[in-house]
Structures are given as structure tokens and as C-alpha cells.
Amino acid sequence: MIRKIFYTLGTLSILLTSGCDKISKLFEKAVEEGNIQNSRIPLARVNDKVLYDTELKSLFTDRMTHKDSVNIRDRYINNWIRRVITLEKATAQVDVEKLDIQRRLDDYKFQLIMHEYEREYIASNLDTLVTDAQIKDYYTHNSDDFILKSNIVKGIFLRYPNNAPDLKKITKWLNSSKEKDKEKLRSSAFAYADFVHLEDSVWLDLDELLFGTPFMKSQSDITKLLKRDRLWEASDESNTFIYQIVDYKIVDQTPPLQFVSNQVKNVILGKRKLELRSELDTKLYEDATNNNEYEIYVSDN
């Protein structure tokens, strides 16, 4: 049997690569004429198992070129041949009865069907509106579930090329409370800085801000720096980094609601989905009970 399989595989390799092959021509003609979904062309064989083009029809779209369609066909055929050969060899060597395959298949089928059924039920019944009040209420009662895994900061974060004009004036403008200096800072940043963040009311992940900068240090050193300095400045061979820290929270502290509001919203939606799954299970069981759709046979033993 092994010889027969490899002879078939070798023959198919020729069929797939030969432009004059009858099967290949029939397939390509079907692709060109748009009849790929209605044809039934044998594409490959391993012993008594035959692969027909109708098994591939879901792989093709109207937007595909002729070349793309043929390439997809060839890859699928080769993968199919390998799977069938492997399965035949494995089936001959393994005690299939011990695997309890039918029960496993039934379980898997049940899981697939229920997953799709639950997905459609949830899509039809899920209330996706989560108000700010609901987010705030959930956060207030469950803030311990949102402990920080990294430091976060609010502030102004700038990266300038070392040859930028007025670079030495940036820290002066940052420390100034005068509106004209703030305007000079904004104008300079948008004109010359490579990276600009001026929204000092927004919480950001500090690790992301520090990556690739001279400020990268150990966690303990960063914590000390946060507690000690509000204005950070450092340079490498190309850039100068100027960070002004307005506020911060460190690892293991509770984050502000603003930083985790999207996370809280997703948790609320996740809980609603779980409730709908439970609701569906209960509803199906109660309906079946009320309609006498099942019966339990109790043994006397």
C-alpha cells in the first residue's frame, strides 16, 4: 500500500506542475469561465480517496486573479494529500477503538454548535450601552481588581533633535506660568520636536514613554526618580528628551478611573455576556420541561 501511495503522490506532482495536464486545464478553464462552484473535477487521489474541486469552492472569491486561484488550489491539494497519507498511516498503526473517537466527535460537535448558537443569541440580546455612571459605579465597588502592573504618569513629553533651535529654552518655557511662554513652547514643539505630548491631563503608561530613551532604568530607580524629580532631561547621540511629570501612580497602586475606563467597560460587557449564556441555558431547559420534551427513567436499584 505504501508504494501505491507514493506512486500516486509522484503522479500528482506531475499533474500539478504540468501545463498540458488534462485535469489542470479543466480546472483553469472552470476558473476562467466562472464555473468553479458548479464543476466537479477530480483534483487528486490517494488510494481510494478522491479530492474534487467542489471541496475547494469556499476558498475562492470573485476578486481573485486566475493566478491566485490556481496557487490556492495547488497549496490546498498538496496539504490534502499530506493529511490523507498521514491519516491512513496513523489509522493503520493506532487502536482507533481505544480513542473513543465518536464520543469525542460528538462533544466537539456540541461545542461548535453551542458556541455559534450562543454567539448569535448574545449578538441579538446584548445591551452594549455602558454609561459613564455604570463604569464609575463598577469601578468604585471593584477598584481592587484594577491594580497597576506598570507605572503611569501625566505630563508633557517631548523629544527634540539635538540641533533643534531654542533647545536650551524649552525647560524655561516648561517651568513658566506665563501664557506667552506656553505658546512659545507649543510653537516650538510642533515645529521642531520629533515626539510631542502636551496633554498633561491624560494618563500614559510610563514604560512605553521610557522605551528606547536614556531614562530606561530599573523599576526601583524609576520609582525613586518619580518621587524625586518632576523635570527630566537627557540626551543621546541624536536626540534630547524633556519630560515634565505632573502626576504619577506606581506599580501596585490603584489606577485612576480615567486610565482604566475602557477596561472597566469591557469587564461589564463580559459579565453581561456570561449572564446571557446562563440565561440561555436556563431558558432552554425550562422550555423543554414545560413542553415535556424529555423524560428521566429512574431505576429501582
Side-chain angles (χ1 to χ4, degrees), residues 226-284:
L226 281 170
K227 294 178 178 179
R228 186 181 70 237
D229 298 324
R230 290 302 176 96
L231 185 62
W232 302 2
E233 184 173 356
S235 299
D236 58 21
E237 62 276 9
S238 303
N239 300 294
T240 295
F241 301 82
I242 304 173
Y243 290 0
Q244 185 183 59
I245 310 298
V246 173
D247 197 2
Y248 66 89
K249 295 282 186 181
I250 61 175
V251 173
D252 293 334
Q253 289 185 338
T254 301
L257 175 57
Q258 181 197 60
F259 187 73
V260 293
S261 60
N262 285 336
Q263 184 180 350
V264 175
K265 178 180 178 180
N266 289 332
V267 170
I268 293 173
L269 290 174
K271 288 183 175 295
R272 289 180 184 178
K273 290 178 181 179
L274 289 175
E275 290 171 0
L276 284 173
R277 288 192 180 96
S278 178
E279 173 188 295
L280 176 61
D281 181 71
T282 301
K283 181 178 181 300
L284 292 175

Short mmCIF file of all heavy atoms in Angstrom, two decimals, residues 226-284:
data_model
loop_
_atom_site.label_atom_id
_atom_site.label_comp_id
_atom_site.label_asym_id
_atom_site.label_seq_id
_atom_site.Cartn_x
_atom_site.Cartn_y
_atom_site.Cartn_z
N LEU A 226 10.77 59.23 40.03
CA LEU A 226 9.43 59.81 40.04
C LEU A 226 9.19 60.60 41.32
O LEU A 226 8.61 61.70 41.29
CB LEU A 226 8.37 58.71 39.91
CG LEU A 226 8.10 58.15 38.52
CD1 LEU A 226 7.21 56.91 38.61
CD2 LEU A 226 7.43 59.19 37.63
N LYS A 227 9.63 60.07 42.43
CA LYS A 227 9.40 60.72 43.73
C LYS A 227 10.30 61.93 43.93
O LYS A 227 9.95 62.86 44.67
CB LYS A 227 9.61 59.72 44.86
CG LYS A 227 8.58 58.59 44.88
CD LYS A 227 8.86 57.60 46.00
CE LYS A 227 7.80 56.51 46.04
NZ LYS A 227 8.06 55.52 47.12
N ARG A 228 11.45 61.93 43.24
CA ARG A 228 12.44 62.98 43.47
C ARG A 228 12.31 64.16 42.51
O ARG A 228 12.38 65.32 42.91
CB ARG A 228 13.85 62.38 43.36
CG ARG A 228 14.95 63.38 43.73
CD ARG A 228 16.33 62.76 43.59
NE ARG A 228 16.69 62.54 42.19
CZ ARG A 228 17.02 61.36 41.69
NH1 ARG A 228 17.02 60.27 42.45
NH2 ARG A 228 17.34 61.24 40.41
N ASP A 229 12.11 63.87 41.22
CA ASP A 229 12.17 64.93 40.21
C ASP A 229 10.90 64.98 39.38
O ASP A 229 10.36 63.94 38.99
CB ASP A 229 13.36 64.71 39.26
CG ASP A 229 14.69 64.75 39.98
OD1 ASP A 229 14.80 65.55 40.93
OD2 ASP A 229 15.58 63.98 39.61
N ARG A 230 10.48 66.19 39.06
CA ARG A 230 9.34 66.38 38.17
C ARG A 230 9.77 66.77 36.76
O ARG A 230 8.98 66.69 35.83
CB ARG A 230 8.40 67.45 38.74
CG ARG A 230 7.66 66.99 40.00
CD ARG A 230 6.85 65.73 39.73
NE ARG A 230 6.20 65.20 40.91
CZ ARG A 230 4.93 65.45 41.23
NH1 ARG A 230 4.20 66.23 40.47
NH2 ARG A 230 4.41 64.92 42.31
N LEU A 231 11.01 67.21 36.61
CA LEU A 231 11.50 67.59 35.29
C LEU A 231 12.70 66.71 34.94
O LEU A 231 13.73 66.73 35.62
CB LEU A 231 11.92 69.06 35.27
CG LEU A 231 12.34 69.60 33.88
CD1 LEU A 231 11.18 69.53 32.90
CD2 LEU A 231 12.85 71.02 34.01
N TRP A 232 12.56 65.91 33.87
CA TRP A 232 13.62 65.00 33.44
C TRP A 232 14.17 65.49 32.11
O TRP A 232 13.42 65.85 31.20
CB TRP A 232 13.08 63.58 33.24
CG TRP A 232 12.42 62.96 34.43
CD1 TRP A 232 12.21 63.53 35.66
CD2 TRP A 232 11.87 61.64 34.50
NE1 TRP A 232 11.57 62.66 36.49
CE2 TRP A 232 11.34 61.48 35.81
CE3 TRP A 232 11.78 60.59 33.61
CZ2 TRP A 232 10.72 60.31 36.22
CZ3 TRP A 232 11.16 59.42 34.01
CH2 TRP A 232 10.65 59.28 35.31
N GLU A 233 15.50 65.47 32.00
CA GLU A 233 16.13 65.84 30.74
C GLU A 233 17.35 64.97 30.52
O GLU A 233 18.18 64.79 31.43
CB GLU A 233 16.52 67.32 30.73
CG GLU A 233 17.11 67.77 29.39
CD GLU A 233 17.35 69.27 29.33
OE1 GLU A 233 16.99 69.98 30.29
OE2 GLU A 233 17.91 69.74 28.30
N ALA A 234 17.46 64.42 29.33
CA ALA A 234 18.60 63.57 29.00
C ALA A 234 18.77 63.56 27.49
O ALA A 234 17.83 63.81 26.73
CB ALA A 234 18.41 62.15 29.52
N SER A 235 20.00 63.27 27.04
CA SER A 235 20.30 63.26 25.60
C SER A 235 21.08 62.02 25.23
O SER A 235 21.81 61.45 26.05
CB SER A 235 21.12 64.50 25.22
OG SER A 235 20.42 65.68 25.50
N ASP A 236 20.90 61.59 23.98
CA ASP A 236 21.76 60.57 23.41
C ASP A 236 22.47 61.19 22.21
O ASP A 236 22.51 62.42 22.08
CB ASP A 236 20.97 59.31 23.04
CG ASP A 236 19.83 59.58 22.06
OD1 ASP A 236 19.90 60.62 21.35
OD2 ASP A 236 18.91 58.76 21.98
N GLU A 237 23.00 60.39 21.33
CA GLU A 237 23.79 60.94 20.23
C GLU A 237 22.94 61.72 19.21
O GLU A 237 23.48 62.53 18.45
CB GLU A 237 24.55 59.83 19.49
CG GLU A 237 23.68 58.78 18.83
CD GLU A 237 23.26 57.68 19.81
OE1 GLU A 237 23.50 57.83 21.03
OE2 GLU A 237 22.70 56.67 19.34
N SER A 238 21.62 61.50 19.24
CA SER A 238 20.77 62.14 18.23
C SER A 238 19.70 63.07 18.80
O SER A 238 19.34 64.07 18.18
CB SER A 238 20.05 61.08 17.38
OG SER A 238 20.97 60.21 16.77
N ASN A 239 19.19 62.75 19.97
CA ASN A 239 18.01 63.45 20.48
C ASN A 239 18.17 63.90 21.92
O ASN A 239 18.96 63.34 22.69
CB ASN A 239 16.79 62.54 20.38
CG ASN A 239 16.49 62.11 18.96
OD1 ASN A 239 16.15 62.93 18.13
ND2 ASN A 239 16.65 60.81 18.69
N THR A 240 17.35 64.89 22.27
CA THR A 240 17.22 65.34 23.65
C THR A 240 15.78 65.08 24.09
O THR A 240 14.83 65.45 23.40
CB THR A 240 17.53 66.84 23.78
OG1 THR A 240 18.91 67.05 23.46
CG2 THR A 240 17.27 67.32 25.20
N PHE A 241 15.64 64.43 25.25
CA PHE A 241 14.33 64.07 25.79
C PHE A 241 14.05 64.96 26.99
O PHE A 241 14.85 65.03 27.93
CB PHE A 241 14.31 62.60 26.22
CG PHE A 241 14.62 61.64 25.09
CD1 PHE A 241 15.95 61.39 24.73
CD2 PHE A 241 13.62 61.00 24.41
CE1 PHE A 241 16.25 60.51 23.71
CE2 PHE A 241 13.91 60.11 23.39
CZ PHE A 241 15.23 59.87 23.03
N ILE A 242 12.89 65.62 26.96
CA ILE A 242 12.50 66.50 28.06
C ILE A 242 11.11 66.09 28.53
O ILE A 242 10.13 66.20 27.79
CB ILE A 242 12.49 67.98 27.63
CG1 ILE A 242 13.86 68.38 27.07
CG2 ILE A 242 12.11 68.88 28.80
CD1 ILE A 242 13.90 69.76 26.46
N TYR A 243 11.03 65.57 29.77
CA TYR A 243 9.78 65.10 30.32
C TYR A 243 9.45 65.91 31.58
O TYR A 243 10.27 66.03 32.48
CB TYR A 243 9.87 63.62 30.73
CG TYR A 243 9.96 62.64 29.58
CD1 TYR A 243 9.95 63.05 28.25
CD2 TYR A 243 10.05 61.27 29.83
CE1 TYR A 243 10.05 62.14 27.21
CE2 TYR A 243 10.13 60.35 28.80
CZ TYR A 243 10.13 60.80 27.49
OH TYR A 243 10.21 59.90 26.46
N GLN A 244 8.26 66.46 31.62
CA GLN A 244 7.79 67.13 32.82
C GLN A 244 6.64 66.32 33.41
O GLN A 244 5.58 66.17 32.80
CB GLN A 244 7.31 68.55 32.51
CG GLN A 244 6.91 69.34 33.76
CD GLN A 244 6.37 70.72 33.42
OE1 GLN A 244 5.39 70.86 32.69
NE2 GLN A 244 7.04 71.76 33.92
N ILE A 245 6.83 65.77 34.60
CA ILE A 245 5.85 64.91 35.24
C ILE A 245 4.89 65.76 36.07
O ILE A 245 5.31 66.47 36.99
CB ILE A 245 6.52 63.86 36.14
CG1 ILE A 245 7.63 63.12 35.38
CG2 ILE A 245 5.48 62.89 36.69
CD1 ILE A 245 7.17 62.34 34.18
N VAL A 246 3.62 65.67 35.77
CA VAL A 246 2.60 66.41 36.52
C VAL A 246 2.05 65.57 37.66
O VAL A 246 1.82 66.06 38.77
CB VAL A 246 1.46 66.85 35.58
CG1 VAL A 246 0.31 67.48 36.36
CG2 VAL A 246 1.99 67.83 34.55
N ASP A 247 1.84 64.28 37.42
CA ASP A 247 1.33 63.37 38.45
C ASP A 247 1.73 61.96 38.07
O ASP A 247 2.06 61.68 36.91
CB ASP A 247 -0.19 63.49 38.56
CG ASP A 247 -0.74 62.90 39.86
OD1 ASP A 247 0.09 62.44 40.70
OD2 ASP A 247 -1.97 62.88 40.03
N TYR A 248 1.71 61.06 39.03
CA TYR A 248 2.09 59.68 38.74
C TYR A 248 1.45 58.71 39.71
O TYR A 248 1.02 59.07 40.80
CB TYR A 248 3.62 59.51 38.81
CG TYR A 248 4.20 59.70 40.19
CD1 TYR A 248 4.33 58.63 41.07
CD2 TYR A 248 4.63 60.95 40.62
CE1 TYR A 248 4.86 58.79 42.35
CE2 TYR A 248 5.16 61.13 41.89
CZ TYR A 248 5.27 60.05 42.74
OH TYR A 248 5.79 60.22 44.01
N LYS A 249 1.35 57.46 39.26
CA LYS A 249 0.94 56.34 40.09
C LYS A 249 1.92 55.21 39.82
O LYS A 249 2.32 54.99 38.67
CB LYS A 249 -0.47 55.86 39.73
CG LYS A 249 -1.58 56.87 40.00
CD LYS A 249 -1.93 56.93 41.47
CE LYS A 249 -3.14 57.84 41.70
NZ LYS A 249 -3.49 57.92 43.13
N ILE A 250 2.31 54.52 40.86
CA ILE A 250 3.32 53.48 40.69
C ILE A 250 2.70 52.08 40.77
O ILE A 250 1.53 51.92 41.14
CB ILE A 250 4.46 53.62 41.73
CG1 ILE A 250 3.91 53.48 43.15
CG2 ILE A 250 5.16 54.94 41.56
CD1 ILE A 250 5.00 53.49 44.21
N VAL A 251 3.50 51.10 40.41
CA VAL A 251 3.08 49.70 40.39
C VAL A 251 2.44 49.31 41.72
O VAL A 251 2.91 49.70 42.80
CB VAL A 251 4.28 48.79 40.09
CG1 VAL A 251 3.90 47.32 40.24
CG2 VAL A 251 4.82 49.06 38.69
N ASP A 252 1.35 48.54 41.64
CA ASP A 252 0.59 48.01 42.78
C ASP A 252 -0.34 49.03 43.41
O ASP A 252 -1.05 48.70 44.37
CB ASP A 252 1.51 47.42 43.86
CG ASP A 252 2.23 46.16 43.39
OD1 ASP A 252 1.68 45.48 42.49
OD2 ASP A 252 3.32 45.87 43.88
N GLN A 253 -0.37 50.25 42.90
CA GLN A 253 -1.38 51.20 43.36
C GLN A 253 -2.65 51.05 42.53
O GLN A 253 -2.65 50.43 41.47
CB GLN A 253 -0.85 52.63 43.26
CG GLN A 253 0.22 52.98 44.27
CD GLN A 253 0.61 54.46 44.21
OE1 GLN A 253 0.42 55.13 43.20
NE2 GLN A 253 1.17 54.96 45.30
N THR A 254 -3.73 51.63 43.01
CA THR A 254 -4.98 51.62 42.26
C THR A 254 -4.96 52.73 41.22
O THR A 254 -4.71 53.89 41.55
CB THR A 254 -6.18 51.85 43.21
OG1 THR A 254 -6.20 50.83 44.20
CG2 THR A 254 -7.49 51.81 42.42
N PRO A 255 -5.19 52.40 39.97
CA PRO A 255 -5.13 53.42 38.92
C PRO A 255 -6.35 54.34 38.97
O PRO A 255 -7.41 53.94 39.48
CB PRO A 255 -5.14 52.61 37.63
CG PRO A 255 -5.88 51.36 38.00
CD PRO A 255 -5.53 51.08 39.43
N PRO A 256 -6.25 55.53 38.45
CA PRO A 256 -7.43 56.41 38.34
C PRO A 256 -8.41 55.83 37.34
O PRO A 256 -8.04 55.11 36.42
CB PRO A 256 -6.84 57.74 37.86
CG PRO A 256 -5.56 57.37 37.20
CD PRO A 256 -5.03 56.18 37.93
N LEU A 257 -9.68 56.16 37.51
CA LEU A 257 -10.72 55.64 36.64
C LEU A 257 -10.46 55.98 35.18
O LEU A 257 -10.69 55.15 34.29
CB LEU A 257 -12.08 56.19 37.07
CG LEU A 257 -13.27 55.84 36.19
CD1 LEU A 257 -13.42 54.33 36.06
CD2 LEU A 257 -14.55 56.46 36.73
N GLN A 258 -9.97 57.18 34.93
CA GLN A 258 -9.71 57.59 33.54
C GLN A 258 -8.81 56.62 32.81
O GLN A 258 -9.00 56.34 31.63
CB GLN A 258 -9.09 59.00 33.53
CG GLN A 258 -8.80 59.53 32.13
CD GLN A 258 -7.83 60.70 32.17
OE1 GLN A 258 -6.70 60.58 32.62
NE2 GLN A 258 -8.30 61.85 31.68
N PHE A 259 -7.83 56.08 33.51
CA PHE A 259 -6.85 55.19 32.88
C PHE A 259 -7.43 53.82 32.56
O PHE A 259 -6.98 53.16 31.61
CB PHE A 259 -5.62 55.04 33.78
CG PHE A 259 -4.49 54.30 33.15
CD1 PHE A 259 -3.72 54.89 32.17
CD2 PHE A 259 -4.19 53.00 33.53
CE1 PHE A 259 -2.67 54.20 31.57
CE2 PHE A 259 -3.14 52.30 32.95
CZ PHE A 259 -2.38 52.91 31.97
N VAL A 260 -8.42 53.37 33.34
CA VAL A 260 -8.94 52.01 33.16
C VAL A 260 -10.41 52.00 32.72
O VAL A 260 -11.05 50.95 32.77
CB VAL A 260 -8.78 51.19 34.46
CG1 VAL A 260 -7.32 50.93 34.75
CG2 VAL A 260 -9.47 51.87 35.63
N SER A 261 -10.94 53.12 32.28
CA SER A 261 -12.37 53.17 31.95
C SER A 261 -12.75 52.18 30.85
O SER A 261 -13.79 51.51 30.93
CB SER A 261 -12.78 54.60 31.56
OG SER A 261 -12.04 55.03 30.43
N ASN A 262 -11.91 52.05 29.83
CA ASN A 262 -12.20 51.09 28.75
C ASN A 262 -12.13 49.66 29.27
O ASN A 262 -12.92 48.80 28.87
CB ASN A 262 -11.23 51.28 27.59
CG ASN A 262 -11.54 52.50 26.76
OD1 ASN A 262 -12.67 52.98 26.73
ND2 ASN A 262 -10.53 53.04 26.09
N GLN A 263 -11.18 49.41 30.16
CA GLN A 263 -11.05 48.08 30.74
C GLN A 263 -12.28 47.75 31.59
O GLN A 263 -12.81 46.63 31.53
CB GLN A 263 -9.78 48.02 31.60
CG GLN A 263 -9.49 46.65 32.18
CD GLN A 263 -8.22 46.64 33.02
OE1 GLN A 263 -7.45 47.60 33.03
NE2 GLN A 263 -8.02 45.58 33.76
N VAL A 264 -12.75 48.72 32.36
CA VAL A 264 -13.94 48.52 33.18
C VAL A 264 -15.15 48.24 32.29
O VAL A 264 -15.95 47.34 32.56
CB VAL A 264 -14.21 49.74 34.07
CG1 VAL A 264 -15.54 49.57 34.83
CG2 VAL A 264 -13.07 49.96 35.05
N LYS A 265 -15.27 48.99 31.21
CA LYS A 265 -16.38 48.79 30.27
C LYS A 265 -16.36 47.38 29.71
O LYS A 265 -17.41 46.72 29.62
CB LYS A 265 -16.29 49.81 29.13
CG LYS A 265 -17.38 49.66 28.09
CD LYS A 265 -17.24 50.69 26.99
CE LYS A 265 -18.31 50.51 25.92
NZ LYS A 265 -18.18 51.52 24.83
N ASN A 266 -15.19 46.89 29.32
CA ASN A 266 -15.08 45.53 28.78
C ASN A 266 -15.43 44.47 29.81
O ASN A 266 -16.02 43.43 29.47
CB ASN A 266 -13.67 45.29 28.24
CG ASN A 266 -13.38 46.08 26.98
OD1 ASN A 266 -14.29 46.40 26.21
ND2 ASN A 266 -12.12 46.42 26.74
N VAL A 267 -15.08 44.73 31.06
CA VAL A 267 -15.44 43.79 32.13
C VAL A 267 -16.95 43.74 32.29
O VAL A 267 -17.54 42.65 32.43
CB VAL A 267 -14.77 44.20 33.46
CG1 VAL A 267 -15.33 43.38 34.62
CG2 VAL A 267 -13.27 44.01 33.38
N ILE A 268 -17.60 44.89 32.26
CA ILE A 268 -19.06 44.94 32.38
C ILE A 268 -19.72 44.18 31.24
O ILE A 268 -20.64 43.39 31.44
CB ILE A 268 -19.54 46.40 32.42
CG1 ILE A 268 -19.06 47.09 33.71
CG2 ILE A 268 -21.06 46.48 32.32
CD1 ILE A 268 -19.34 48.57 33.76
N LEU A 269 -19.24 44.41 30.02
CA LEU A 269 -19.79 43.71 28.86
C LEU A 269 -19.53 42.20 28.96
O LEU A 269 -20.39 41.39 28.58
CB LEU A 269 -19.18 44.26 27.57
CG LEU A 269 -19.62 45.68 27.18
CD1 LEU A 269 -18.83 46.15 25.96
CD2 LEU A 269 -21.11 45.72 26.89
N GLY A 270 -18.36 41.83 29.46
CA GLY A 270 -18.04 40.42 29.63
C GLY A 270 -18.99 39.74 30.62
O GLY A 270 -19.44 38.61 30.38
N LYS A 271 -19.32 40.44 31.69
CA LYS A 271 -20.26 39.89 32.68
C LYS A 271 -21.66 39.77 32.09
O LYS A 271 -22.38 38.80 32.38
CB LYS A 271 -20.26 40.77 33.94
CG LYS A 271 -19.00 40.64 34.77
CD LYS A 271 -19.08 41.47 36.03
CE LYS A 271 -17.85 41.24 36.91
NZ LYS A 271 -17.77 39.86 37.42
N ARG A 272 -22.04 40.73 31.26
CA ARG A 272 -23.34 40.64 30.61
C ARG A 272 -23.41 39.44 29.68
O ARG A 272 -24.45 38.77 29.57
CB ARG A 272 -23.63 41.93 29.83
CG ARG A 272 -23.90 43.15 30.71
CD ARG A 272 -24.16 44.40 29.87
NE ARG A 272 -24.32 45.58 30.70
CZ ARG A 272 -24.51 46.81 30.22
NH1 ARG A 272 -24.55 46.99 28.90
NH2 ARG A 272 -24.66 47.84 31.03
N LYS A 273 -22.32 39.16 28.98
CA LYS A 273 -22.28 38.00 28.09
C LYS A 273 -22.43 36.70 28.89
O LYS A 273 -23.15 35.79 28.47
CB LYS A 273 -20.98 37.99 27.29
CG LYS A 273 -20.89 39.10 26.26
CD LYS A 273 -19.55 39.07 25.53
CE LYS A 273 -19.44 40.19 24.51
NZ LYS A 273 -18.13 40.19 23.81
N LEU A 274 -21.75 36.63 30.03
CA LEU A 274 -21.87 35.44 30.87
C LEU A 274 -23.29 35.26 31.37
O LEU A 274 -23.81 34.14 31.42
CB LEU A 274 -20.90 35.54 32.05
CG LEU A 274 -19.41 35.39 31.74
CD1 LEU A 274 -18.58 35.65 32.99
CD2 LEU A 274 -19.10 34.01 31.18
N GLU A 275 -23.93 36.36 31.73
CA GLU A 275 -25.31 36.29 32.20
C GLU A 275 -26.24 35.82 31.10
O GLU A 275 -27.17 35.05 31.34
CB GLU A 275 -25.74 37.67 32.71
CG GLU A 275 -25.06 38.08 34.02
CD GLU A 275 -25.34 39.53 34.38
OE1 GLU A 275 -26.06 40.21 33.61
OE2 GLU A 275 -24.84 39.99 35.43
N LEU A 276 -25.99 36.26 29.86
CA LEU A 276 -26.82 35.84 28.74
C LEU A 276 -26.64 34.35 28.45
O LEU A 276 -27.61 33.65 28.11
CB LEU A 276 -26.49 36.66 27.49
CG LEU A 276 -27.03 38.09 27.46
CD1 LEU A 276 -26.49 38.84 26.26
CD2 LEU A 276 -28.56 38.08 27.42
N ARG A 277 -25.39 33.85 28.57
CA ARG A 277 -25.16 32.42 28.37
C ARG A 277 -25.93 31.60 29.40
O ARG A 277 -26.56 30.58 29.08
CB ARG A 277 -23.67 32.10 28.45
CG ARG A 277 -22.86 32.59 27.26
CD ARG A 277 -21.46 32.00 27.27
NE ARG A 277 -20.69 32.46 26.14
CZ ARG A 277 -19.86 33.48 26.17
NH1 ARG A 277 -19.67 34.15 27.30
NH2 ARG A 277 -19.20 33.85 25.09
N SER A 278 -25.87 32.04 30.66
CA SER A 278 -26.59 31.35 31.72
C SER A 278 -28.10 31.45 31.51
O SER A 278 -28.83 30.47 31.70
CB SER A 278 -26.21 31.95 33.08
OG SER A 278 -26.94 31.35 34.13
N GLU A 279 -28.55 32.61 31.08
CA GLU A 279 -29.97 32.84 30.80
C GLU A 279 -30.44 31.92 29.68
O GLU A 279 -31.54 31.33 29.77
CB GLU A 279 -30.17 34.30 30.40
CG GLU A 279 -31.56 34.64 29.91
CD GLU A 279 -31.62 36.05 29.34
OE1 GLU A 279 -31.42 37.00 30.11
OE2 GLU A 279 -31.85 36.19 28.12
N LEU A 280 -29.63 31.77 28.64
CA LEU A 280 -30.00 30.91 27.52
C LEU A 280 -30.11 29.46 27.96
O LEU A 280 -31.08 28.77 27.61
CB LEU A 280 -28.96 31.03 26.40
CG LEU A 280 -29.14 30.11 25.20
CD1 LEU A 280 -30.48 30.38 24.51
CD2 LEU A 280 -27.98 30.27 24.22
N ASP A 281 -29.16 29.00 28.74
CA ASP A 281 -29.17 27.62 29.22
C ASP A 281 -30.42 27.35 30.07
O ASP A 281 -31.10 26.34 29.90
CB ASP A 281 -27.90 27.35 30.04
CG ASP A 281 -27.84 25.93 30.55
OD1 ASP A 281 -27.63 25.01 29.73
OD2 ASP A 281 -28.02 25.72 31.76
N THR A 282 -30.73 28.29 30.97
CA THR A 282 -31.90 28.14 31.83
C THR A 282 -33.19 28.17 31.01
O THR A 282 -34.10 27.37 31.24
CB THR A 282 -31.93 29.26 32.88
OG1 THR A 282 -30.74 29.21 33.67
CG2 THR A 282 -33.14 29.13 33.78
N LYS A 283 -33.25 29.08 30.05
CA LYS A 283 -34.45 29.22 29.23
C LYS A 283 -34.72 27.94 28.42
O LYS A 283 -35.86 27.46 28.35
CB LYS A 283 -34.29 30.40 28.28
CG LYS A 283 -35.49 30.66 27.37
CD LYS A 283 -35.24 31.88 26.51
CE LYS A 283 -36.44 32.18 25.60
NZ LYS A 283 -36.75 31.07 24.68
N LEU A 284 -33.68 27.39 27.80
CA LEU A 284 -33.84 26.18 27.01
C LEU A 284 -34.33 25.01 27.87
O LEU A 284 -35.21 24.24 27.47
CB LEU A 284 -32.52 25.81 26.32
CG LEU A 284 -32.03 26.76 25.23
CD1 LEU A 284 -30.66 26.33 24.73
CD2 LEU A 284 -33.02 26.82 24.07
#
